[in-house]
Amino acid sequence: MSARKGFGIRKIMIPLLVFLIVFAIVMGIAYFLEMYRVDPAQIYVDGNTHYTNQEIIDKVMTGFLGDNSIVLSWKYKNKKITDVPFVDAITVEVVGNESIRIRVFEKALAGYVRYLDRYIYFDKDGTVVESSDVLTKGIPQVTGLSFSGIQIGKPLTADETDIFARTLDLTKLLAKYNLTADRIHFHENGKVTVYFGSVRVDLGTDSQGIEDKVMLLEKFLEKVESRSGVLNMEEYNPEGIYVFTPDE
């Protein structure tokens, strides 16, 4: 074979080889895009209470390749969220080629206060997480606080700085026993009153066997049902005997 003939073959083969490589890359990309395109009917969302499933999906599936399950799983691998109120982190798990599970990790909210017809939600440190005109279920209203000035991302200014942590501790304690308070009121003398519908429960101070009292609350509330009145649990009673006084 002459040198000229060999050169001619190489001249043909090189462009052909480049074409085949480019073609393989394009086909690979097309396969990747189509094979892992998320089916909207196969998206599962867990852990969200403040936002609907669709709101979470709309926040997650954005940007370049926002509908690709593999890309989303990489993008939201232990990702901290800074631009969505109430949400601390989001992860995306690939369930199948076209299916994903979005897990929402919400911020631990202690409660909310009312201010100028708005619901001001705060965390255990008293930092304002969100100001909203929408009431979120499961988060108690907190009263008895004196504060001035509200700014998102900044702490509420209260006379007792530990009152926010106390609120979250009490909220978690109630949740432990399947109870959700409508309102928690802190008195100046350190005592706590918790409202469940039309029933007011005087729990006393934090140091007065408060968990033992809360543990008994569910049964007491079942007994009084829709009646209104006051359940006095200020003094710790080792026998669990407390007095309910109905309203007249």
Side-chain angles (χ1 to χ4, degrees), residues 99-111:
S99 177
I100 59 173
R101 184 179 302 279
I102 302 172
R103 297 188 186 277
V104 181
F105 298 88
E106 295 184 340
K107 293 177 181 177
L109 300 180

Side-chain angles (χ1 to χ4, degrees), residues 54-71:
Q54 191 57 52
E55 285 175 324
I56 292 296
I57 291 169
D58 291 342
K59 292 177 188 297
V60 169
M61 298 182 66
T62 59
F64 181 62
L65 295 181
D67 62 349
N68 187 280
S69 59
I70 298 298
V71 172

